[in-house]
Amino acid sequence: MLQELRIINPATEELEAVVPVTTPAEVDEAVRRAATAQEKWAALPPGDRARLLRRFAGVVEENSEALARLELAEAGHPLGNARWEANNVVDLLHYAAGGVERLTGSQIPVAGGLNITVQEPLGVVAVIAPWNFPMPIAAWGTAPALAAGNAVLLKPAETTPLTALRLAGYALEAGLPEGLFQVLPGEGAVTGDALVEHPGVAKVVFTGSTATGRGIAAKCAARTKRLTLELGGKSPNIVFADADLERAAAAAPGSFLDNTGQDCCARSRILVQRSVYDRFMELLEPAVKAFVAGDPADPATRMGPLISAAQRERVRSYVSEDAPAAIRGEAPKGKGFWYPATVLEGRPDDRTAVEEIFGPVAVAIPFEDEADAVRLANATDYGLSGSIWTRDVGRALRVSGAVAAGNLSVNSHSSVRYWTPFGGYKQSGLGRELGPGALAAFTETKNIFISTEEQQ
Ligand code: NAD
């Protein structure tokens, strides 16, 4: 077991910080404190909880530049992306705060009495976050769980605990009760596992790899513990011959290179109708090459390094930087976990076309017609996202209906908005986050029938 986490700047390989880990005994203590805080929190009038969450959003907003710089240092995200991420936390907190007074339950007509439902908090919720979007993904779980009256124990990924720790400090500064939102850095198999196994944790929200998620699901099943899984993806970008090819090609690089491809929604399979395949690849090449990789602090930078040496080795295990590629961009040499933007031409059953690489690599594959496009799009165990480029509205709707994925976009690559639901089909996940149902996912529904019969 590690005694501490050494946080390395992925762009420079310099040591940024050393963070102590949380032992299983400390997890146990944290759960106890959280349970005590949660009881008080749930007993507060809804308006007071909402006000405190808005104040928390305010403190995060005041410090958003500092958070963005910290994200840049620990995750290597370009400054523009990191700023967006910090402000996304602000938005998530405001959105959740707006839901506190709207957890209204329902009244259902019945004979002989009154039937009401109430939404009760679950208790203590564990949020296990990944390193690819440390702040937003932590807040996707944390903000609605708090708003619904729960306490949250957040376990950030081993490589990216710094912004999470800072957020916990801001929560206290805003006046949230001590113990209500705690950050427990540590290893997944130790600190994370202690949370998953703890009988005092009512729900686990996990984002990460499908393999780890399945293991966590099995442990939760043994206790009938509530669970949300946001897992991997191998999403298609389907370009039909009738699409605005210039726009489709200009937008494609961002869809698999943003966050250096370390994005569960990355459109890493580019499916192009054969009749326009060559033209599309011609247009794609300059767009990929213009997606500049470099110093994350430079405003011109679109792509930073990979998160770690281990992640770069993982990407290299699929394709090395000097293997033949249809398109290859430039990446800095020397210090930092750099990897160039890469587009391969491949076949649907190639390993690179089937498995999640989680790096700046896409595979381009031609298809014949609409049926072929749908068949290829669905030829994966995953089902998280996807894009459809066409000018034909009917086709856009038919293909959106036929692709088995939770988040589709037409003539766009947008996937995640905090006010719309997000989650995966098939091996990409279980349950949904964000959107109008976000708070309800952190409640139990209680049904109460009150008889109107005269009492003797
Ligand atoms: P991971 O799934 O192992 O880790 C994600 C989080 O889970 C981290 O906080 C980790 O500490 C924790 N964790 C790990 N094992 C655990 C366990 N047994 N019990 C409880 N918590 C545990 O992912 P990784 O090893 O960081 O990355 C490996 C691959 O996973 C990546 O290359 C990528 O393909 C995929 N990934 C996907 C996402 C996503 O957003 N879907 C995010 C990160 C990684």
Side-chain angles (χ1 to χ4, degrees):
M1 181 184 139
L2 292 177
Q3 301 302 310
E4 57 188 26
L5 304 174
R6 295 175 68 75
I7 311 307
I8 306 294
N9 182 321
T12 63
E13 300 185 37
E14 278 164 20
L15 182 69
E16 288 289 340
V18 176
V19 174
V21 297
T22 316
T23 63
E26 288 165 338
V27 168
D28 188 50
E29 184 49 37
V31 174
R32 269 178 235 281
R33 274 191 286 133
T36 306
Q38 189 269 330
E39 278 183 26
K40 291 188 196 134
W41 177 243
L44 282 180
D48 290 356
R49 272 192 273 139
R51 228 183 321 279
L52 282 164
L53 287 173
R54 282 192 204 102
R55 216 180 280 164
F56 184 13
V59 179
V60 175
E61 189 166 21
E62 279 161 26
N63 292 284
S64 62
E65 185 62 21
L67 279 169
R69 298 269 168 189
L70 208 52
E71 187 88 307
L72 185 151
E74 72 174 343
H77 292 187
L79 192 53
N81 294 37
R83 284 182 175 141
W84 181 89
E85 287 165 46
N87 285 303
N88 187 240
V89 178
V90 178
D91 290 340
L92 281 155
L93 285 167
H94 277 300
Y95 183 66
V100 178
E101 292 125 316
R102 292 176 177 83
L103 265 183
T104 48
S106 64
Q107 180 270 316
I108 300 169
V110 291
L114 177 70
N115 192 93
I116 57 168
T117 68
V118 289
Q119 304 296 129
E120 294 185 340
L122 299 170
V124 178
V125 171
V127 176
I128 301 179
W131 44 259
N132 55 336
F133 293 102
M135 277 192 283
I137 295 180
W140 290 4
T142 301
L146 291 175
N150 302 279
V152 172
L153 299 176
L154 166 63
K155 199 211 78 67
E158 289 84 339
T159 40
T160 55
L162 300 182
T163 48
L165 287 165
R166 194 68 74 86
L167 285 173
Y170 295 151
L172 287 178
E173 199 179 319
L176 266 69
E178 192 98 34
L180 187 72
F181 171 42
Q182 301 171 57
V183 172
L184 313 178
E187 286 177 277
V190 181
T191 310
D193 189 60
L195 281 167
V196 171
E197 294 273 24
H198 201 292
V201 170
K203 175 166 181 167
V204 175
V205 177
F206 170 81
T207 306
S209 62
T210 295
T212 303
R214 279 197 200 116
I216 289 175
K219 291 190 170 173
C220 287
R223 294 187 180 275
T224 328
K225 197 170 275 195
R226 278 69 182 134
L227 174 70
T228 302
L229 297 175
E230 296 293 354
L231 307 175
K234 190 74 186 176
S235 297
N237 174 10
I238 311 169
V239 183
F240 285 98
D242 70 352
D244 180 338
L245 285 189
E246 276 75 13
R247 280 193 56 202
S255 78
F256 73 95
L257 297 176
D258 192 53
N259 211 27
T260 323
Q262 303 165 120
D263 182 343
C264 47
C265 291
R267 273 59 162 179
S268 52
R269 289 185 300 146
I270 308 176
L271 311 179
V272 187
Q273 196 152 15
R274 195 179 296 280
S275 57
V276 295
Y277 182 86
D278 290 343
R279 175 71 186 133
F280 180 82
M281 292 299 279
E282 253 171 49
L283 292 166
L284 183 62
E285 180 158 8
V288 167
K289 292 192 163 162
F291 212 92
V292 182
D295 177 4
D298 182 340
T301 292
R302 306 279 307 275
M303 193 168 94
L306 291 164
I307 187 71
S308 62
Q311 189 61 18
R312 186 167 61 183
E313 282 317 304
R314 193 184 139 86
V315 176
R316 281 177 176 161
S317 77
Y318 286 95
V319 51
S320 69
E321 289 99 315
D322 49 13
I327 304 171
R328 180 164 282 128
E330 297 279 334
K333 308 270 184 282
K335 289 277 183 198
F337 309 123
W338 301 99
Y339 192 95
T342 302
V343 180
L344 306 171
E345 285 180 296
R347 287 197 312 268
D349 51 0
D350 289 347
R351 185 170 163 244
T352 47
V354 173
E355 295 181 20
E356 183 177 49
I357 299 177
F358 232 56
V361 181
V363 182
I365 300 168
F367 67 84
E368 304 303 332
D369 55 18
E370 190 177 311
D372 196 28
V374 169
R375 184 184 61 76
L376 285 174
N378 286 333
T380 164
D381 289 340
Y382 295 113
L384 192 54
S385 299
S387 305
I388 300 148
W389 290 80
T390 176
R391 286 190 172 96
D392 179 336
V393 179
R395 167 175 284 155
L397 291 172
R398 281 193 306 275
V399 176
S400 301
V403 173
N407 314 277
L408 296 172
S409 42
V410 174
N411 297 329
S412 156
H413 292 299
S414 82
S415 294
V416 188
R417 293 187 178 85
Y418 59 82
W419 65 102
T420 60
F422 178 77
Y425 279 39
K426 303 195 285 187
Q427 300 301 311
S428 286
L430 190 69
R432 291 292 178 272
E433 293 190 273
L434 309 175
L439 271 65
F442 293 98
T443 64
E444 288 286 11
T445 300
K446 183 174 279 176
N447 194 70
I448 305 170
F449 170 74
I450 306 152
S451 169
T452 47
E453 269 180 30
E454 275 187 40
Q455 307 294 300
Q456 299 304 318

